[in-house]
Amino acid sequence: MCGIVGAVAQRDVADILLTGLQRLEYRGYDSAGLAVQASQGQVQRLRRLGKVEALAEALAQTPIQGGTGIAHTRWATHGQPSEANAHPHQSGPIMVVHNGIIENHSELRQQLQQQGFEFQSQTDTEVIAHLIASFRQQGHALLQAVMATRKQLTGAYGMVVMDEQSPEQLVVARSGSPLVIGAGIGEHFIASDQLALLPVTQRFAFLEEGDVALIERRSYQVFDSQDQVVERPLVESTVEHDAGDKGQFRHYMLKEIYEQPQAIANTLEGRLENGQLNLEALGDLSQVEQVQIIACGTSYHAAMTARYWIESLAGVPCNVEIASEFRYRRSVVRPSSLLVTISQSGETADTLAALRLAKDIGYQQTLAICNVPGSSLVRESDMALMTRAGAEIGVASTKAFTTQLVALMLLTVALGRGRQLSTEQEKDIAAALAHLPALIEKSLAMNSDIEALAQRFAEKHHALFLGRGSQYPIAMEGALKLKEISYIHAEAYAAGELKHGPLALIDAEMPIVVVAPNNELVEKLKSNIEEVRARGGELFIFADEAAGLNTEGNVMVLPVVHCDNRIAPIVYTIPLQLLSYHVAVIKGTDVDQPRNLAKSVTVE
Ligand code: F6R
């Protein structure tokens, strides 16, 4: 999704803006631009289609000096990717960068055209620039012009406005799309996420829904949706390390896959000590009679896995739904339900909207499982269980997923206590979790075997992933990873479902990836594997050696470390992540920023 950076400083800010944009590249975008204003001087704007690199080259040829500036990476929604549609958008002295969608842009465009404003782009954003300019023409100061403008907008926005006639000021507004203010010494910054600003500050203030702020070099002032002054205090950043560095790795995705043992250990810290699970932070869940989980994409797959755990281990009914479906259907709220949202970013528009709807329709207790402290989801939920994966830069989610699963296993235990989960079972789960970082290390040792195997996928156009029970969502996640970074069409099926249709797809050209731990379903899974073998499919099976799989024929079995079946979904995720990564590298795709995708989907 679009990335925003802004600065009001005494020094030149073009390089700070550019670095900020580079650090937001992971969010996904198709064009980039910036505008800088010298004090009392004219605003200069530069925009390029394509990567931030192209903007950096243009800036190197035409350096722009000045201490106030705004910058943007655009992920096209209204209007194709082009230089004319790239931000900042201009209306006379006004420059605007915007993240979100203005839903009533067509009618506003018509009104503004009737007033004589000429449009240079096909974007919804340009109406904001002209609206602010029209209020300025009526004599409003910049801040008041933005406040008046937002009252006319329907939709979502995080926006930053610069005005040639108000140098050394930026006005920002948030409704639906997050913005953080960064404080330096005698300078202030604004960005759509902290990562953009970590090279210049560690102190941030988080804007809330409906806020407007006036940002100047030495101060910032925030107003709520009623235009009343409100405090949004500065806090030290909790982003532990500067994740904007790939280190020895070729891609962020690979780095993040390898960070999983540490990310899981961090997620367990303080929650698992001396073999005991400390789950007090989750409060009293003894009254919960039903769990409803809502999430999107990879986070939805974590939710699907948790459903198996929560029902079989804790004995609590659990329902899982994709946020974009939940938010547009009338669902029934059962009494004493716990509403759980799962999100890496905590800013996914559909998940946030679903949470808000859930509260409106009567859910009394809400829990967010999230990786970003201070995110909207965390702030708007009653409780939060943080995943502590550290910043995830690769668009394809990896360490966020496995740490979500760890958090969900903790939730399962918290729900199961006092119900059907025995003390003995809890002890076994605690022991398995304690062992998990080491098991993930062992799974990572499969890397070179998987790299070799990946060659066999590079020429394929389709693939099937099979699993059963709690491994079915892991097969779904494996298929999603392959699709999103290698662009190979992949589908996952619960293996027992094959005979109801998908078996028709099997021939010698179809690779079939199977996840096969040695659990209570393995004999059933073996029968499903035989159904595929009999039809000549090319099988790649990630299996526990103790499962005793038949290796005859067109079958490759890759042994996975033996582990407790309750945590096996987490362990079996690793080889599937590595497989999709290596296939994508062989295919030469943009692994960290796959086409058409955004890291954090802050629009509907
Ligand atoms: C896939 C992926 C997406 C996200 C989805 C939800 O690798 O990353 O499917 O999982 O967009 O994002 P969050 O978890 O931030 O709500």
Side-chain angles (χ1 to χ4, degrees), residues 296-299 342-346 348 351 395-397 404 477 480-481 484 599 601:
C296 303
T298 288
S299 299
I342 309 176
S343 173
Q344 187 287 126
S345 61
T348 300
T351 311
V395 163
S397 191
Q404 283 167 352
E477 174 60 7
L480 177 64
K481 288 286 92 91
E484 64 183 338
K599 179 68 185 162
V601 186

PDB file of all heavy atoms in Angstrom, residues 296-299 342-346 348 351 395-397 404 477 480-481 484 599 601, ligand 1:
ATOM      1  N   CYS A 296      -7.205 -12.135   7.627  1.00  0.00           N
ATOM      2  CA  CYS A 296      -7.077 -12.188   6.159  1.00  0.00           C
ATOM      3  C   CYS A 296      -5.787 -12.931   5.790  1.00  0.00           C
ATOM      4  O   CYS A 296      -4.807 -12.883   6.528  1.00  0.00           O
ATOM      5  CB  CYS A 296      -6.944 -10.791   5.565  1.00  0.00           C
ATOM      6  SG  CYS A 296      -8.267  -9.679   5.965  1.00  0.00           S
ATOM      7  N   GLY A 297      -5.794 -13.525   4.601  1.00  0.00           N
ATOM      8  CA  GLY A 297      -4.567 -14.073   4.002  1.00  0.00           C
ATOM      9  C   GLY A 297      -3.865 -15.079   4.897  1.00  0.00           C
ATOM     10  O   GLY A 297      -4.469 -16.016   5.446  1.00  0.00           O
ATOM     11  N   THR A 298      -2.564 -14.873   5.059  1.00  0.00           N
ATOM     12  CA  THR A 298      -1.756 -15.770   5.884  1.00  0.00           C
ATOM     13  C   THR A 298      -2.277 -15.817   7.317  1.00  0.00           C
ATOM     14  O   THR A 298      -2.321 -16.881   7.949  1.00  0.00           O
ATOM     15  CB  THR A 298      -0.295 -15.295   5.835  1.00  0.00           C
ATOM     16  OG1 THR A 298       0.217 -15.596   4.524  1.00  0.00           O
ATOM     17  CG2 THR A 298       0.569 -15.966   6.877  1.00  0.00           C
ATOM     18  N   SER A 299      -2.693 -14.667   7.831  1.00  0.00           N
ATOM     19  CA  SER A 299      -3.209 -14.634   9.210  1.00  0.00           C
ATOM     20  C   SER A 299      -4.475 -15.484   9.325  1.00  0.00           C
ATOM     21  O   SER A 299      -4.744 -16.090  10.363  1.00  0.00           O
ATOM     22  CB  SER A 299      -3.503 -13.194   9.628  1.00  0.00           C
ATOM     23  OG  SER A 299      -2.326 -12.432   9.589  1.00  0.00           O
ATOM     24  N   ILE A 342      -6.578 -11.559  14.058  1.00  0.00           N
ATOM     25  CA  ILE A 342      -5.153 -11.868  13.882  1.00  0.00           C
ATOM     26  C   ILE A 342      -4.637 -11.017  12.734  1.00  0.00           C
ATOM     27  O   ILE A 342      -5.236 -10.988  11.650  1.00  0.00           O
ATOM     28  CB  ILE A 342      -4.925 -13.354  13.543  1.00  0.00           C
ATOM     29  CG1 ILE A 342      -5.645 -14.256  14.552  1.00  0.00           C
ATOM     30  CG2 ILE A 342      -3.432 -13.681  13.519  1.00  0.00           C
ATOM     31  CD1 ILE A 342      -5.550 -15.735  14.224  1.00  0.00           C
ATOM     32  N   SER A 343      -3.519 -10.338  12.972  1.00  0.00           N
ATOM     33  CA  SER A 343      -2.966  -9.498  11.911  1.00  0.00           C
ATOM     34  C   SER A 343      -1.503  -9.206  12.193  1.00  0.00           C
ATOM     35  O   SER A 343      -1.156  -8.838  13.318  1.00  0.00           O
ATOM     36  CB  SER A 343      -3.751  -8.191  11.844  1.00  0.00           C
ATOM     37  OG  SER A 343      -3.141  -7.298  10.953  1.00  0.00           O
ATOM     38  N   GLN A 344      -0.658  -9.376  11.201  1.00  0.00           N
ATOM     39  CA  GLN A 344       0.740  -8.979  11.356  1.00  0.00           C
ATOM     40  C   GLN A 344       0.802  -7.487  11.591  1.00  0.00           C
ATOM     41  O   GLN A 344       1.369  -7.013  12.558  1.00  0.00           O
ATOM     42  CB  GLN A 344       1.514  -9.383  10.101  1.00  0.00           C
ATOM     43  CG  GLN A 344       3.027  -9.200  10.153  1.00  0.00           C
ATOM     44  CD  GLN A 344       3.515  -7.775  10.086  1.00  0.00           C
ATOM     45  OE1 GLN A 344       4.273  -7.329  10.963  1.00  0.00           O
ATOM     46  NE2 GLN A 344       3.098  -7.022   9.104  1.00  0.00           N
ATOM     47  N   SER A 345       0.209  -6.734  10.667  1.00  0.00           N
ATOM     48  CA  SER A 345       0.366  -5.275  10.670  1.00  0.00           C
ATOM     49  C   SER A 345      -0.516  -4.566  11.681  1.00  0.00           C
ATOM     50  O   SER A 345      -0.171  -3.494  12.165  1.00  0.00           O
ATOM     51  CB  SER A 345       0.018  -4.739   9.283  1.00  0.00           C
ATOM     52  OG  SER A 345      -1.336  -5.057   8.984  1.00  0.00           O
ATOM     53  N   GLY A 346      -1.676  -5.143  11.943  1.00  0.00           N
ATOM     54  CA  GLY A 346      -2.641  -4.453  12.804  1.00  0.00           C
ATOM     55  C   GLY A 346      -3.319  -3.292  12.099  1.00  0.00           C
ATOM     56  O   GLY A 346      -4.012  -2.494  12.727  1.00  0.00           O
ATOM     57  N   THR A 348      -4.702  -3.833   8.688  1.00  0.00           N
ATOM     58  CA  THR A 348      -5.442  -4.347   7.539  1.00  0.00           C
ATOM     59  C   THR A 348      -6.882  -3.827   7.585  1.00  0.00           C
ATOM     60  O   THR A 348      -7.607  -4.055   8.563  1.00  0.00           O
ATOM     61  CB  THR A 348      -5.399  -5.893   7.552  1.00  0.00           C
ATOM     62  OG1 THR A 348      -4.035  -6.270   7.473  1.00  0.00           O
ATOM     63  CG2 THR A 348      -6.176  -6.487   6.404  1.00  0.00           C
ATOM     64  N   THR A 351      -9.776  -6.284   8.353  1.00  0.00           N
ATOM     65  CA  THR A 351      -9.766  -6.846   9.710  1.00  0.00           C
ATOM     66  C   THR A 351     -10.207  -5.788  10.719  1.00  0.00           C
ATOM     67  O   THR A 351     -10.977  -6.070  11.643  1.00  0.00           O
ATOM     68  CB  THR A 351      -8.365  -7.396  10.041  1.00  0.00           C
ATOM     69  OG1 THR A 351      -7.943  -8.228   8.962  1.00  0.00           O
ATOM     70  CG2 THR A 351      -8.354  -8.200  11.322  1.00  0.00           C
ATOM     71  N   VAL A 395       7.107  -8.993   1.627  1.00  0.00           N
ATOM     72  CA  VAL A 395       5.639  -8.960   1.505  1.00  0.00           C
ATOM     73  C   VAL A 395       5.048 -10.319   1.889  1.00  0.00           C
ATOM     74  O   VAL A 395       4.009 -10.393   2.539  1.00  0.00           O
ATOM     75  CB  VAL A 395       5.227  -8.532   0.076  1.00  0.00           C
ATOM     76  CG1 VAL A 395       3.778  -8.870  -0.208  1.00  0.00           C
ATOM     77  CG2 VAL A 395       5.442  -7.024  -0.079  1.00  0.00           C
ATOM     78  N   ALA A 396       5.724 -11.384   1.504  1.00  0.00           N
ATOM     79  CA  ALA A 396       5.223 -12.726   1.858  1.00  0.00           C
ATOM     80  C   ALA A 396       5.501 -12.975   3.336  1.00  0.00           C
ATOM     81  O   ALA A 396       6.648 -12.975   3.781  1.00  0.00           O
ATOM     82  CB  ALA A 396       5.903 -13.775   1.005  1.00  0.00           C
ATOM     83  N   SER A 397       4.456 -13.191   4.069  1.00  0.00           N
ATOM     84  CA  SER A 397       4.581 -13.330   5.518  1.00  0.00           C
ATOM     85  C   SER A 397       5.187 -14.681   5.893  1.00  0.00           C
ATOM     86  O   SER A 397       4.762 -15.723   5.388  1.00  0.00           O
ATOM     87  CB  SER A 397       3.183 -13.208   6.122  1.00  0.00           C
ATOM     88  OG  SER A 397       3.266 -13.082   7.496  1.00  0.00           O
ATOM     89  N   GLN A 404       2.450 -16.183  15.056  1.00  0.00           N
ATOM     90  CA  GLN A 404       0.999 -16.166  15.300  1.00  0.00           C
ATOM     91  C   GLN A 404       0.553 -17.541  15.803  1.00  0.00           C
ATOM     92  O   GLN A 404      -0.258 -17.660  16.724  1.00  0.00           O
ATOM     93  CB  GLN A 404       0.234 -15.845  14.011  1.00  0.00           C
ATOM     94  CG  GLN A 404       0.249 -14.381  13.620  1.00  0.00           C
ATOM     95  CD  GLN A 404      -0.248 -14.142  12.197  1.00  0.00           C
ATOM     96  OE1 GLN A 404      -0.477 -15.080  11.436  1.00  0.00           O
ATOM     97  NE2 GLN A 404      -0.419 -12.885  11.835  1.00  0.00           N
ATOM     98  N   GLU A 477      -1.355 -22.484   3.322  1.00  0.00           N
ATOM     99  CA  GLU A 477      -0.338 -21.435   3.445  1.00  0.00           C
ATOM    100  C   GLU A 477       0.816 -21.695   2.456  1.00  0.00           C
ATOM    101  O   GLU A 477       1.334 -20.771   1.831  1.00  0.00           O
ATOM    102  CB  GLU A 477       0.154 -21.389   4.907  1.00  0.00           C
ATOM    103  CG  GLU A 477       1.316 -20.464   5.177  1.00  0.00           C
ATOM    104  CD  GLU A 477       1.062 -18.997   4.854  1.00  0.00           C
ATOM    105  OE1 GLU A 477      -0.074 -18.625   4.536  1.00  0.00           O
ATOM    106  OE2 GLU A 477       2.037 -18.233   4.866  1.00  0.00           O
ATOM    107  N   LEU A 480      -0.357 -20.599  -0.913  1.00  0.00           N
ATOM    108  CA  LEU A 480      -0.392 -19.128  -1.010  1.00  0.00           C
ATOM    109  C   LEU A 480       1.016 -18.574  -1.219  1.00  0.00           C
ATOM    110  O   LEU A 480       1.235 -17.691  -2.060  1.00  0.00           O
ATOM    111  CB  LEU A 480      -1.027 -18.526   0.251  1.00  0.00           C
ATOM    112  CG  LEU A 480      -1.059 -16.996   0.314  1.00  0.00           C
ATOM    113  CD1 LEU A 480      -1.925 -16.404  -0.797  1.00  0.00           C
ATOM    114  CD2 LEU A 480      -1.555 -16.495   1.663  1.00  0.00           C
ATOM    115  N   LYS A 481       1.984 -19.114  -0.466  1.00  0.00           N
ATOM    116  CA  LYS A 481       3.362 -18.618  -0.607  1.00  0.00           C
ATOM    117  C   LYS A 481       3.851 -18.829  -2.035  1.00  0.00           C
ATOM    118  O   LYS A 481       4.462 -17.941  -2.631  1.00  0.00           O
ATOM    119  CB  LYS A 481       4.328 -19.338   0.354  1.00  0.00           C
ATOM    120  CG  LYS A 481       4.247 -19.030   1.793  1.00  0.00           C
ATOM    121  CD  LYS A 481       4.802 -17.689   2.200  1.00  0.00           C
ATOM    122  CE  LYS A 481       3.726 -16.647   2.193  1.00  0.00           C
ATOM    123  NZ  LYS A 481       2.997 -16.417   3.416  1.00  0.00           N
ATOM    124  N   GLU A 484       2.067 -16.367  -4.467  1.00  0.00           N
ATOM    125  CA  GLU A 484       2.333 -14.929  -4.394  1.00  0.00           C
ATOM    126  C   GLU A 484       3.747 -14.549  -4.786  1.00  0.00           C
ATOM    127  O   GLU A 484       3.949 -13.451  -5.309  1.00  0.00           O
ATOM    128  CB  GLU A 484       1.935 -14.333  -3.041  1.00  0.00           C
ATOM    129  CG  GLU A 484       2.702 -14.829  -1.855  1.00  0.00           C
ATOM    130  CD  GLU A 484       2.185 -14.250  -0.546  1.00  0.00           C
ATOM    131  OE1 GLU A 484       1.549 -13.200  -0.538  1.00  0.00           O
ATOM    132  OE2 GLU A 484       2.429 -14.877   0.492  1.00  0.00           O
ATOM    133  N   LYS A 599       2.265  -4.946   1.294  1.00  0.00           N
ATOM    134  CA  LYS A 599       2.529  -5.600   2.575  1.00  0.00           C
ATOM    135  C   LYS A 599       1.355  -5.433   3.534  1.00  0.00           C
ATOM    136  O   LYS A 599       0.933  -6.368   4.189  1.00  0.00           O
ATOM    137  CB  LYS A 599       3.800  -5.017   3.185  1.00  0.00           C
ATOM    138  CG  LYS A 599       4.165  -5.595   4.549  1.00  0.00           C
ATOM    139  CD  LYS A 599       4.566  -7.046   4.415  1.00  0.00           C
ATOM    140  CE  LYS A 599       4.835  -7.718   5.747  1.00  0.00           C
ATOM    141  NZ  LYS A 599       4.787  -9.185   5.615  1.00  0.00           N
ATOM    142  N   VAL A 601      -2.438  -4.093   3.768  1.00  0.00           N
ATOM    143  CA  VAL A 601      -3.523  -3.695   2.865  1.00  0.00           C
ATOM    144  C   VAL A 601      -4.477  -2.762   3.614  1.00  0.00           C
ATOM    145  O   VAL A 601      -5.450  -3.196   4.223  1.00  0.00           O
ATOM    146  CB  VAL A 601      -4.239  -4.931   2.290  1.00  0.00           C
ATOM    147  CG1 VAL A 601      -5.257  -4.522   1.241  1.00  0.00           C
ATOM    148  CG2 VAL A 601      -3.214  -5.860   1.655  1.00  0.00           C
TER     149      VAL A 601
HETATM  150  C1  F6R B   1       0.683 -13.295   2.498  1.00  0.00           C
HETATM  151  C2  F6R B   1       0.394 -12.122   3.282  1.00  0.00           C
HETATM  152  C3  F6R B   1      -1.005 -11.593   3.303  1.00  0.00           C
HETATM  153  C4  F6R B   1      -1.344 -11.070   4.713  1.00  0.00           C
HETATM  154  C5  F6R B   1      -2.724 -10.409   4.704  1.00  0.00           C
HETATM  155  C6  F6R B   1      -3.126  -9.947   6.091  1.00  0.00           C
HETATM  156  O1  F6R B   1       2.013 -13.674   2.602  1.00  0.00           O
HETATM  157  O2  F6R B   1       1.255 -11.555   3.900  1.00  0.00           O
HETATM  158  O3  F6R B   1      -1.918 -12.559   2.901  1.00  0.00           O
HETATM  159  O4  F6R B   1      -1.307 -12.131   5.600  1.00  0.00           O
HETATM  160  O5  F6R B   1      -2.714  -9.299   3.847  1.00  0.00           O
HETATM  161  O6  F6R B   1      -2.212  -9.044   6.615  1.00  0.00           O
HETATM  162  P1  F6R B   1      -2.117  -8.776   8.155  1.00  0.00           P
HETATM  163  O7  F6R B   1      -1.662 -10.019   8.815  1.00  0.00           O
HETATM  164  O8  F6R B   1      -1.122  -7.654   8.293  1.00  0.00           O
HETATM  165  O9  F6R B   1      -3.490  -8.372   8.605  1.00  0.00           O
END
